[in-house]
Amino acid sequence: MTTAVRAAPTTAWLPFAEQPGCDGVRLYCLPHAGGSASAYRSWFGRLGPVSVRPVQPPGRETRLRDTPYDRMDRLVPDLTDAVLADTSPDGGTRPYAVYGHSLGALVGFELVREIRRRGGPMPVHLFVSGCAAPDLQEDGEPPVAGMTQDQVVALLRRIGGTPEWMLTDPTVLRMILPPFVADFSVRDSYAYRPLPPLDVPITALAATDDPRAGTADVAGWRDQTTGRFTAHTLTGGHFAVLEQAAVTHRYVDRALRGAFGPQLPGLSATDPREAPVAHH
C-alpha cells in the first residue's frame, strides 16, 4: 500500500548550507538506494568554487520522520520543484550540474528530463555512476519489497558500502531498512520511457568489480545525450567513486571545465587540479 508523501520545503531536500567561497556552479548530488545527503558531505571544499549540494530524500537523517518515496513518478516532481527553486533564488539562474550514484543516477536522469519537460533551465552537465543506462535496467533479481529481512541484509552485504555492525544491530536495521526498501521499490517499479536524448553532456563512471552495473551497461548512457559523452572506469566495487573521491572529483572538475573553459565561475586557469588524471 502506497502512502502519500507530504510536499517538503526546499530546505528539507537541501539540508546543508552552501560552503563559504563556493559561489560557482551548483552540483546537486543524489545518493544511492538507502543513502543520504551525508554520503557527499566529505566533498565540501574539494571542488574549488563548485557548490556541492547534497540532496536529502525523505525517511533518513534530517527527514527521518518523513515517508520515503516508493515510485519514481512521485519522487521526481517534488524533487524538481526543490531544485528549480534552489537554482533561481533571486530570479536569476545559477549554473548547475547533477551528480547521481546508483539509484541516484536514475533519479538524476529523470530529474533532468522533468526540468526539460517544464521548460526550465537545463544543467551544464549530468554525472552518473554505478548505474546501468536507463534502458538497460533489467537485472533478473526479485523485487526487494518482496524479500525477507534476511534477504535484504544479504543484498546489502553483496552490494557493499554498509558497515557490518549496522547490519547486525536490530535497532539500526529498523531505522535503515525502510528507506532502503522504499528506494529499491523506486528502482524496481521504474519503467524507462523512450524520449529524445538530452542536449546535456553526460559523464558516466563505472567500476571494474561492480556487481550492480557492468562497464558495458554503464557505457550505454551514451545513447541518452546528443552532447559530449565521456566514460571512465575506476578499479573497485559499487562504491568506488565514493571510496576514491579524489579521482571522482578530478573527473567532475575536468567535465565542468569542458563546459565553461576558462570561464568556470571562480576558478583560475592555473588551478593545480589541472594535473593529469591517472587512468583507471
Side-chain angles (χ1 to χ4, degrees):
M1 178 174 158
T2 301
T3 303
V5 180
R6 178 174 52 86
T10 300
T11 51
W13 286 99
L14 303 163
F16 297 117
E18 287 197 270
Q19 309 89 62
C22 296
D23 55 357
V25 181
R26 281 179 166 163
L27 181 64
Y28 295 98
C29 297
L30 298 154
H32 52 280
S36 64
S38 290
Y40 296 101
R41 191 166 189 171
S42 65
W43 290 25
F44 290 171
R46 302 295 182 181
L47 283 164
V50 174
S51 176
V52 176
R53 302 288 280 157
V55 171
Q56 188 77 283
R60 63 219 78 192
E61 290 187 341
T62 54
R63 301 185 67 185
L64 189 60
R65 295 180 181 274
D66 294 343
T67 304
Y69 293 86
D70 60 5
R71 290 189 61 86
M72 187 76 77
D73 58 1
R74 296 186 179 95
L75 163 60
V76 168
D78 290 348
L79 173 60
T80 302
D81 290 344
V83 170
L84 288 178
D86 193 61
T87 58
S88 306
D90 304 310
T93 299
R94 284 266 299 268
Y96 73 98
V98 175
Y99 187 107
H101 180 63
S102 195
L103 173 65
L106 276 184
V107 175
F109 171 67
E110 291 297 340
L111 164 69
V112 176
R113 296 217 291 186
E114 175 65 10
I115 290 172
R116 179 179 66 177
R117 188 190 70 78
R118 297 188 190 186
M122 296 295 280
V124 298
H125 210 95
L126 172 62
F127 299 91
V128 294
S129 61
C131 183
D135 55 331
L136 302 173
Q137 285 298 307
E138 294 294 332
D139 58 12
E141 292 196 9
V144 171
M147 291 183 178
T148 65
Q149 178 171 302
D150 288 345
Q151 288 173 321
V152 175
V153 170
L155 175 60
L156 284 168
R157 284 197 177 100
R158 187 163 74 251
I159 295 173
T162 306
E164 183 62 24
W165 69 266
M166 297 180 73
L167 299 178
T168 56
D169 186 321
T171 301
V172 174
L173 281 177
R174 283 196 295 272
M175 181 173 62
I176 68 172
L177 288 189
F180 178 82
V181 172
D183 286 356
F184 255 86
S185 294
V186 170
R187 177 190 176 278
D188 291 338
S189 62
Y190 175 72
Y192 172 70
R193 296 166 299 148
L195 292 173
L198 297 169
D199 185 20
V200 174
I202 294 178
T203 293
L205 290 83
T208 54
D209 302 313
D210 188 341
R212 304 292 303 180
T215 54
D217 289 339
V218 174
W221 282 95
R222 73 173 67 251
D223 296 330
Q224 299 301 328
T225 179
T226 59
R228 181 183 177 90
F229 176 81
T230 307
H232 301 290
T233 302
L234 286 73
T235 300
H238 189 61
F239 292 99
V241 294
L242 299 178
E243 295 163 351
Q244 302 171 44
V247 176
T248 303
H249 296 163
R250 291 192 180 188
Y251 289 138
V252 171
D253 176 86
R254 178 172 292 182
L256 292 180
R257 284 173 182 276
F260 288 96
Q263 303 305 313
L264 179 59
L267 192 58
S268 72
T270 57
D271 192 280
R273 287 170 298 137
E274 280 289 1
V277 178
H279 177 72
H280 287 67

